[in-house]
Amino acid sequence: MAEDHVGPAGIVLSASIARRYYLDGRSKVEIADEFGLSRFKVARLLDAARRSGLVRIEIRHEGGIDVDLSVRLRDRYGLQHAVVVDTPDDDDASLRGHLGRAAAGLLAEVVTPDDVLGLAWARAVSAMAEALPPLPGTPVVQLTGVLSVPGGPDTSVDVVRGVARASGGTAYVFYAPFTVPDAATAAALRRQPEVARAFAQLPHVTRAVAGVGLWAPGQSTLYDAVSEEDRAALDRLGVVADVSGVFLSADGEPVATGLADRMIGIGAEQLRQIPEVLVLPYGTAKAPAVRAALRSGLVGGIVTHTALAHAVLGD
């Protein structure tokens, strides 16, 4: 049979061999014996079947996850986990719901009884907490102070308590604001028993979940909450992103700021010590911030959506 022009008999033969190999799991030697061919001929027929389109191999997931984009994002940035939700939605509330459910599924899959979970408040993290099934007795640690959000009744305390209640684990929470007027007040608050108790757990946190903010109006809850003077000061320092109150430049380097001295929350080096920090960004405008976060070495996992994944990859 000439391989550059395959007639009906050749097509049927190729299809039969391909079925034995790909569907029945037979070896090339076994197929060669059955059809009276050499194993080299079998290999050539299998290659020709792939080239001609007679055999097509697809890796599919019918669960709303873009597997190809997920793999590309994971490989590009060397992440432990990357999940890209395939959704055309561009409404923020809808996106948060999709990402929250996907992140909840990921955590339920990977969290073990030995883990300690840290949570930094973000709207997407709150959506994840609502969708999270019970975890195996996992302790939950609050990573940031409370930030008042218009139209959002839940706080970092509510999110941590809710997840800990579902898991049956201990909740390490504290009632302190995320930002205060001066460094002395921040230092005094960090010494308060409930704050100190939560922060003493930071070295034990094995997984954390946070949002990513772009340092711009309407793109970062923290940006919108601080003074115009603080916003301008961080702009001058080249801040592009914030992850759990850790400020980053475009190349992913942590930026030391005066504002950080007035914040009650985890620091850059403490965040770096956590084996996996999972971020849940949404909205294509945040692509520069997400790139900064993924370049920083602070982030080990991401759950996002197709449009933002394409923007981050530069597609």
Side-chain angles (χ1 to χ4, degrees):
M1 179 180 65
E3 291 188 9
D4 56 348
H5 178 73
V6 181
I11 292 173
V12 172
L13 176 62
S14 294
S16 298
I17 287 172
R19 181 174 291 277
R20 300 289 195 282
Y21 185 72
Y22 291 110
L23 298 182
D24 299 340
R26 304 281 294 279
S27 72
K28 292 173 184 175
V29 173
E30 289 172 329
I31 296 169
D33 289 343
E34 178 182 350
F35 288 91
L37 303 170
S38 72
R39 63 185 178 89
F40 300 106
K41 178 69 171 179
V42 169
R44 287 198 297 273
L45 287 172
L46 289 170
D47 288 342
R50 290 281 301 278
R51 289 197 305 272
S52 69
L54 180 65
V55 170
R56 289 183 298 172
I57 297 175
E58 293 184 317
I59 301 174
R60 296 176 59 86
H61 182 275
E62 300 293 346
I65 294 174
D66 189 315
V67 176
D68 178 62
L69 269 179
S70 300
V71 171
R72 288 176 59 202
L73 200 56
R74 184 197 66 193
D75 292 350
R76 171 77 65 86
Y77 290 99
L79 302 172
Q80 297 173 56
H81 296 101
V83 176
V84 178
V85 179
D86 186 3
T87 174
D89 289 343
D90 56 7
D91 173 72
D92 283 353
S94 180
L95 285 173
R96 287 196 294 269
H98 285 298
L99 299 194
R101 288 187 291 274
L106 175 60
L107 278 190
E109 181 181 2
V110 302
V111 167
T112 74
D114 296 326
D115 279 314
V116 176
L117 181 62
L119 296 179
W121 190 89
R123 289 185 175 96
V125 177
S126 180
M128 179 206 73
E130 291 176 4
L132 198 63
L135 298 176
T138 308
V140 188
V141 181
Q142 181 178 333
L143 301 182
T144 58
V146 176
L147 200 59
S148 297
V149 180
D154 56 353
T155 66
S156 48
V157 177
D158 300 320
V159 171
V160 169
R161 284 197 186 280
V163 173
R165 189 163 49 246
S167 73
T170 303
Y172 294 92
V173 299
F174 54 90
Y175 290 90
F178 200 0
T179 63
V180 294
D182 57 77
T185 302
L189 283 171
R190 293 188 198 106
R191 291 193 294 269
Q192 292 296 311
E194 61 179 13
V195 178
R197 176 173 175 262
F199 282 12
Q201 295 301 312
L202 293 181
H204 306 297
V205 173
T206 55
R207 299 183 191 276
V209 188
V212 177
L214 174 70
W215 198 247
Q219 299 296 326
S220 162
T221 308
L222 186 55
Y223 180 99
D224 293 340
V226 301
S227 69
E228 187 58 46
E229 182 181 357
D230 284 325
R231 296 170 188 168
L234 268 64
D235 280 335
R236 289 192 296 271
L237 290 169
V239 169
V240 167
D242 67 272
V243 177
S244 188
V246 173
F247 301 108
L248 302 172
S249 65
D251 60 5
E253 288 298 316
V255 178
T257 68
L259 176 57
D261 294 335
R262 295 187 279 112
M263 294 171 61
I264 312 299
I266 191 170
E269 290 311 308
Q270 292 168 314
L271 198 64
R272 194 181 300 280
Q273 296 306 310
I274 298 175
E276 182 177 15
V277 176
L278 178 71
V279 293
L280 317 180
Y282 57 92
T284 54
K286 288 186 179 179
V290 176
R291 288 193 203 100
L294 297 181
R295 289 167 179 158
S296 69
L298 301 175
V299 172
I302 184 172
V303 176
T304 190
H305 57 100
T306 46
L308 181 50
H310 280 301
V312 170
L313 291 166
D315 292 348

